[in-house]
Amino acid sequence: MGFFDGLKGGRTADFDSGSAATNSIELTKRHQQVSLTKQDAATGHLRVNLTWRMRTSDIMGTVERNRLFRHPFKALKPPEILGHGQSMVNVDLDLGCLYELADGTKGVVQPLGGYLGDVNAPPYVKLSGDDRFGSASGETMYVNLDHRENIKRLLVFVYIYDQTPAFDRTHAIVTLYPSNGPRIEIGLDERHPQARSCAVVMIENIKGELIVRREVQFVYAFQGELDRLYGWGLQWGRGYKTQPTH
């Protein structure tokens, strides 16, 4: 069974526009949502990007503290290079999206199973590529907001396909790039070492207004558990990725 980290509630008014200095909006527990419509950003292609890198600060910090405690004079020497060992894991994060259209059509866009979607036809969401190594470009998904009247809600999520559950060993961020105005950032910095999936952000059409709302709900199961928590009602089975081409 999945673990639902905190019931949804206490959602406040829309977060104000990002400053010119940073040109970004960070959605947090305190400031959970923003209106794309009020930002004049509810048209064109919304780019959704997932990037991540391995979190090494905890490992390095522990090793360094132990080293200096045993050998205090080594503080005067250059630091040693820490190689990849058993404490370091390779994590393959995937970006996906549960969609519900205005006509009641429901489905998923994700690498698993090859459900890559379509940006110019239903569901108006398309995944571009599958980054298995956490490169600088990450994984990207496009949402065609010129068809916003056909979209009821989109739940953007991140999951770990078949590697060690290690959300606590990664620093991941999902960034939304609207066609106009500041980018919107949602960090996945909470420590949930056994979680395999995380609902990151909901994009919802509420009476013609497109609202982006931070979720960041970790579960200890896969997409089917996210489906259950958010009431999608899809049927799920075991899926597989195709082998990467070289």
Side-chain angles (χ1 to χ4, degrees):
M1 295 295 294
F3 174 76
F4 190 43
D5 180 42
L7 295 175
K8 293 174 286 183
R11 277 166 182 147
T12 57
D14 293 347
F15 189 27
D16 293 334
S17 175
S19 67
T22 60
N23 197 33
S24 68
I25 293 172
E26 182 182 4
L27 297 186
T28 64
K29 288 182 178 180
R30 182 178 178 184
H31 301 291
Q32 296 188 7
Q33 68 181 43
V34 64
S35 169
L36 290 180
T37 303
K38 291 180 179 179
Q39 298 283 343
D40 195 24
T43 59
H45 285 180
L46 173 68
R47 180 162 60 97
V48 182
N49 183 246
L50 164 68
T51 55
W52 75 93
R53 57 181 171 79
M54 295 307 300
R55 189 195 303 271
T56 59
S57 58
D58 292 346
I59 300 170
M60 292 291 288
T62 300
V63 171
E64 184 67 11
R65 284 193 298 271
N66 291 340
R67 185 174 72 96
L68 293 180
F69 180 77
R70 293 192 302 268
H71 308 285
F73 291 104
K74 285 190 176 182
L76 303 177
K77 296 182 179 181
E80 298 174 4
I81 298 176
L82 179 66
H84 289 278
Q86 292 183 351
S87 59
M88 295 291 291
V89 295
N90 180 35
V91 179
D92 176 16
L93 299 185
D94 282 329
L95 181 67
C97 177
L98 285 166
Y99 63 83
E100 181 177 0
L101 303 183
D103 65 2
T105 302
K106 297 178 181 180
V108 65
V109 173
Q110 63 179 21
L112 197 60
Y115 298 105
L116 301 183
D118 193 315
V119 77
N120 294 314
Y124 308 108
V125 180
K126 183 174 178 59
L127 186 65
S128 177
D130 175 16
D131 173 24
R132 306 193 182 184
F133 307 102
S135 68
S137 61
E139 294 192 6
T140 301
M141 182 183 297
Y142 294 93
V143 181
N144 190 344
L145 297 183
D146 289 337
H147 292 272
R148 59 192 177 280
E149 70 278 2
N150 300 118
I151 297 172
K152 182 177 180 180
R153 59 175 179 158
L154 306 173
L155 180 66
V156 177
F157 62 89
V158 174
Y159 65 99
I160 298 174
Y161 168 52
D162 62 356
Q163 302 292 334
T164 305
F167 271 110
D168 64 326
R169 310 286 272 280
T170 64
H171 177 75
I173 185 168
V174 172
T175 307
L176 279 61
Y177 296 89
S179 60
N180 182 58
R183 66 184 182 272
I184 302 167
E185 299 179 346
I186 306 98
L188 306 184
D189 289 333
E190 299 176 19
R191 302 300 182 95
H192 293 267
Q194 297 303 316
R196 283 198 170 273
S197 306
C198 179
V200 180
V201 63
M202 180 78 78
I203 303 169
E204 196 166 10
N205 190 334
I206 301 176
K207 297 181 179 179
E209 182 178 4
L210 280 184
I211 302 294
V212 175
R213 186 177 67 241
R214 177 188 185 272
E215 297 292 332
V216 190
Q217 304 289 353
F218 288 87
V219 298
Y220 287 15
F222 293 100
Q223 297 92 312
E225 183 64 11
L226 294 177
D227 178 315
R228 187 186 70 81
L229 292 174
Y230 287 90
W232 242 265
L234 301 179
Q235 297 296 318
W236 296 87
R238 180 64 176 170
Y240 301 92
K241 286 188 183 182
T242 58
Q243 292 299 318
T245 57
H246 296 284

